[in-house]
Amino acid sequence: MNKVIVVAALVGVFSAGIANAQESRPLGLTLRAGIFFPNSDAAKKNGGKQWIGGGAEYKLGDLQFANEGNSYGASYSISVDLYQKKDFRHVPVLLNYVGRSNQGIFYTAGVGVGFARELNSLNQKKNHTTFSYQVGVGYEFTKSQVPVFIEAKYVGSSRNRLNGYGIFAGIRF
Protein backbone atom coordinates (compact mmCIF):
# COMPACT_ATOMS: atom_id res chain seq x y z
CA MET A 1 0.00 0.00 0.00
CA ASN A 2 2.84 2.42 0.86
CA LYS A 3 4.44 1.73 -2.55
CA VAL A 4 1.17 2.67 -4.30
CA ILE A 5 0.97 5.96 -2.36
CA VAL A 6 4.61 6.79 -3.13
CA VAL A 7 4.16 5.98 -6.83
CA ALA A 8 0.93 8.00 -6.97
CA ALA A 9 2.65 10.96 -5.26
CA LEU A 10 5.60 10.78 -7.68
CA VAL A 11 3.25 10.61 -10.67
CA GLY A 12 1.33 13.61 -9.31
CA VAL A 13 4.49 15.67 -8.73
CA PHE A 14 5.86 14.67 -12.14
CA SER A 15 2.58 15.60 -13.86
CA ALA A 16 2.42 18.94 -12.07
CA GLY A 17 5.99 19.66 -13.13
CA ILE A 18 5.18 18.92 -16.75
CA ALA A 19 2.06 21.10 -16.61
CA ASN A 20 4.04 24.00 -15.14
CA ALA A 21 6.77 23.60 -17.74
CA GLN A 22 4.19 23.67 -20.54
CA GLU A 23 2.51 26.76 -19.11
CA SER A 24 5.72 28.63 -18.35
CA ARG A 25 5.58 32.11 -19.72
CA PRO A 26 8.42 34.42 -20.62
CA LEU A 27 9.62 36.59 -17.78
CA GLY A 28 9.31 39.72 -19.90
CA LEU A 29 13.00 40.54 -19.42
CA THR A 30 15.22 41.71 -22.28
CA LEU A 31 19.01 42.08 -22.11
CA ARG A 32 21.02 43.80 -24.86
CA ALA A 33 24.60 44.87 -25.55
CA GLY A 34 26.28 46.65 -28.42
CA ILE A 35 28.01 49.74 -29.71
CA PHE A 36 26.83 53.35 -29.48
CA PHE A 37 28.03 56.03 -31.93
CA PRO A 38 27.69 59.61 -30.57
CA ASN A 39 26.77 62.42 -32.96
CA SER A 40 28.62 65.21 -31.15
CA ASP A 41 32.15 66.09 -32.21
CA ALA A 42 32.98 66.97 -28.59
CA ALA A 43 31.80 63.54 -27.39
CA LYS A 44 33.76 61.82 -30.17
CA LYS A 45 36.90 63.83 -29.43
CA ASN A 46 36.86 63.46 -25.64
CA GLY A 47 34.93 60.21 -25.23
CA GLY A 48 35.58 58.28 -28.40
CA LYS A 49 33.89 57.50 -31.69
CA GLN A 50 32.42 54.23 -30.37
CA TRP A 51 31.05 53.75 -26.88
CA ILE A 52 29.98 50.59 -25.14
CA GLY A 53 26.25 50.28 -24.71
CA GLY A 54 23.76 47.92 -23.18
CA GLY A 55 20.78 47.60 -20.96
CA ALA A 56 17.79 45.78 -19.65
CA GLU A 57 14.09 46.12 -20.36
CA TYR A 58 11.11 44.73 -18.49
CA LYS A 59 7.72 44.24 -20.14
CA LEU A 60 5.02 45.79 -17.93
CA GLY A 61 1.99 44.68 -19.95
CA ASP A 62 0.27 44.16 -23.27
CA LEU A 63 -1.81 46.77 -25.05
CA GLN A 64 -5.17 45.55 -26.29
CA PHE A 65 -5.71 47.73 -29.35
CA ALA A 66 -3.82 45.41 -31.68
CA ASN A 67 -5.66 44.23 -34.79
CA GLU A 68 -7.89 41.18 -34.63
CA GLY A 69 -5.89 39.21 -37.19
CA ASN A 70 -3.12 38.79 -34.61
CA SER A 71 -0.48 39.85 -37.11
CA TYR A 72 0.46 42.75 -34.84
CA GLY A 73 0.94 43.07 -31.09
CA ALA A 74 1.92 45.88 -28.78
CA SER A 75 3.19 46.23 -25.23
CA TYR A 76 4.71 48.76 -22.87
CA SER A 77 7.91 48.39 -20.89
CA ILE A 78 10.46 50.15 -18.73
CA SER A 79 14.13 50.15 -19.69
CA VAL A 80 17.47 51.15 -18.21
CA ASP A 81 20.44 51.47 -20.54
CA LEU A 82 24.04 52.60 -20.23
CA TYR A 83 26.12 54.30 -22.92
CA GLN A 84 29.63 55.17 -21.77
CA LYS A 85 33.20 55.87 -22.73
CA LYS A 86 35.84 57.69 -20.68
CA ASP A 87 34.29 60.77 -19.04
CA PHE A 88 30.98 60.63 -20.94
CA ARG A 89 28.03 58.56 -19.76
CA HIS A 90 24.28 58.49 -20.40
CA VAL A 91 21.89 56.30 -18.40
CA PRO A 92 18.34 56.73 -19.77
CA VAL A 93 15.45 55.29 -17.76
CA LEU A 94 12.51 55.16 -20.17
CA LEU A 95 8.89 54.11 -20.48
CA ASN A 96 8.59 52.43 -23.90
CA TYR A 97 5.98 51.44 -26.45
CA VAL A 98 6.94 48.26 -28.32
CA GLY A 99 5.11 47.13 -31.46
CA ARG A 100 5.62 43.68 -33.02
CA SER A 101 4.65 41.91 -36.22
CA ASN A 102 4.45 38.15 -36.70
CA GLN A 103 7.32 38.39 -39.19
CA GLY A 104 9.81 39.08 -36.36
CA ILE A 105 10.05 42.84 -36.91
CA PHE A 106 9.58 45.09 -33.90
CA TYR A 107 9.89 48.78 -33.23
CA THR A 108 10.13 50.83 -30.07
CA ALA A 109 9.76 54.40 -28.89
CA GLY A 110 10.38 55.61 -25.37
CA VAL A 111 10.63 58.73 -23.23
CA GLY A 112 11.89 59.38 -19.73
CA VAL A 113 14.75 60.75 -17.70
CA GLY A 114 18.47 60.35 -18.31
CA PHE A 115 21.32 60.56 -15.87
CA ALA A 116 24.33 61.98 -17.67
CA ARG A 117 27.96 62.80 -17.07
CA GLU A 118 30.04 64.81 -19.51
CA LEU A 119 32.94 67.22 -19.66
CA ASN A 120 32.18 70.93 -19.68
CA SER A 121 34.22 73.55 -21.55
CA LEU A 122 36.77 73.58 -18.69
CA ASN A 123 37.23 69.79 -18.93
CA GLN A 124 35.45 69.27 -15.61
CA LYS A 125 33.10 66.34 -15.13
CA LYS A 126 29.51 67.51 -14.73
CA ASN A 127 26.48 65.39 -13.85
CA HIS A 128 23.07 66.25 -15.27
CA THR A 129 19.53 64.96 -15.21
CA THR A 130 18.04 65.26 -18.70
CA PHE A 131 14.94 64.53 -20.72
CA SER A 132 15.78 61.41 -22.75
CA TYR A 133 14.14 59.47 -25.56
CA GLN A 134 14.73 56.69 -28.05
CA VAL A 135 13.30 55.27 -31.26
CA GLY A 136 14.37 52.00 -32.80
CA VAL A 137 13.64 49.04 -35.00
CA GLY A 138 14.75 45.43 -34.72
CA TYR A 139 14.36 41.86 -35.85
CA GLU A 140 13.83 38.70 -33.75
CA PHE A 141 15.59 35.70 -35.28
CA THR A 142 13.87 32.99 -33.27
CA LYS A 143 10.34 32.46 -32.05
CA SER A 144 11.42 30.09 -29.28
CA GLN A 145 11.16 30.48 -25.49
CA VAL A 146 14.36 32.57 -25.58
CA PRO A 147 14.32 34.80 -28.69
CA VAL A 148 17.54 36.37 -29.99
CA PHE A 149 17.37 39.75 -31.74
CA ILE A 150 19.28 42.66 -33.25
CA GLU A 151 18.15 46.27 -33.16
CA ALA A 152 19.20 49.74 -34.23
CA LYS A 153 18.25 52.77 -32.12
CA TYR A 154 18.56 56.51 -32.04
CA VAL A 155 19.04 57.65 -28.45
CA GLY A 156 18.61 61.31 -27.65
CA SER A 157 18.49 63.70 -24.75
CA SER A 158 18.13 67.39 -24.02
CA ARG A 159 21.97 67.35 -23.77
CA ASN A 160 22.81 67.23 -27.49
CA ARG A 161 26.34 65.99 -26.78
CA LEU A 162 24.86 62.65 -25.68
CA ASN A 163 22.74 61.94 -28.77
CA GLY A 164 23.64 59.15 -31.16
CA TYR A 165 22.91 55.81 -32.80
CA GLY A 166 23.41 52.31 -31.50
CA ILE A 167 23.50 48.76 -32.84
CA PHE A 168 22.63 46.06 -30.32
CA ALA A 169 22.16 42.31 -30.04
CA GLY A 170 20.11 40.78 -27.29
CA ILE A 171 18.06 38.03 -25.79
CA ARG A 172 14.56 37.91 -24.27
CA PHE A 173 13.64 35.78 -21.28
Side-chain angles (χ1 to χ4, degrees), residues 28-170:
L29 179 64
T30 298
L31 300 176
R32 67 180 146 266
I35 299 172
F36 177 76
F37 304 96
N39 288 341
S40 163
D41 288 335
K44 289 178 188 176
K45 179 182 173 189
N46 295 314
K49 293 181 180 179
Q50 298 174 355
W51 300 6
I52 190 167
E57 188 169 346
Y58 182 72
K59 180 179 171 182
L60 297 171
D62 291 317
L63 298 170
Q64 299 302 320
F65 60 83
N67 69 6
E68 293 187 24
N70 292 328
S71 64
Y72 176 81
S75 61
Y76 61 102
S77 64
I78 188 165
S79 64
V80 177
D81 289 281
L82 169 67
Y83 310 106
Q84 178 174 339
K85 183 137 186 201
K86 296 183 183 177
D87 294 321
F88 286 83
R89 176 176 53 217
H90 186 202
V91 181
V93 179
L94 307 175
L95 182 62
N96 304 288
Y97 169 85
V98 181
R100 299 184 184 290
S101 74
N102 281 346
Q103 290 80 28
I105 297 170
F106 65 92
Y107 61 90
T108 183
V111 296
V113 62
F115 303 97
R117 181 181 72 194
E118 59 183 311
L119 294 177
N120 65 12
S121 59
L122 302 173
N123 281 339
Q124 299 169 328
K125 294 178 190 175
K126 293 291 182 180
N127 294 318
H128 306 281
T129 303
T130 68
F131 169 76
S132 295
Y133 59 93
Q134 71 178 3
V135 293
V137 64
Y139 182 77
E140 272 185 10
F141 289 101
T142 59
K143 294 285 186 185
S144 67
Q145 283 288 94
V146 185
V148 176
F149 66 90
I150 60 167
E151 68 181 333
K153 291 185 183 185
Y154 180 80
V155 181
S157 80
S158 56
R159 308 290 299 182
N160 291 338
R161 297 171 102 187
L162 300 172
N163 297 354
Y165 296 89
I167 305 290
F168 305 94

Side-chain angles (χ1 to χ4, degrees), residues 9-19:
L10 288 174
V11 168
V13 168
F14 184 73
S15 299
I18 290 173

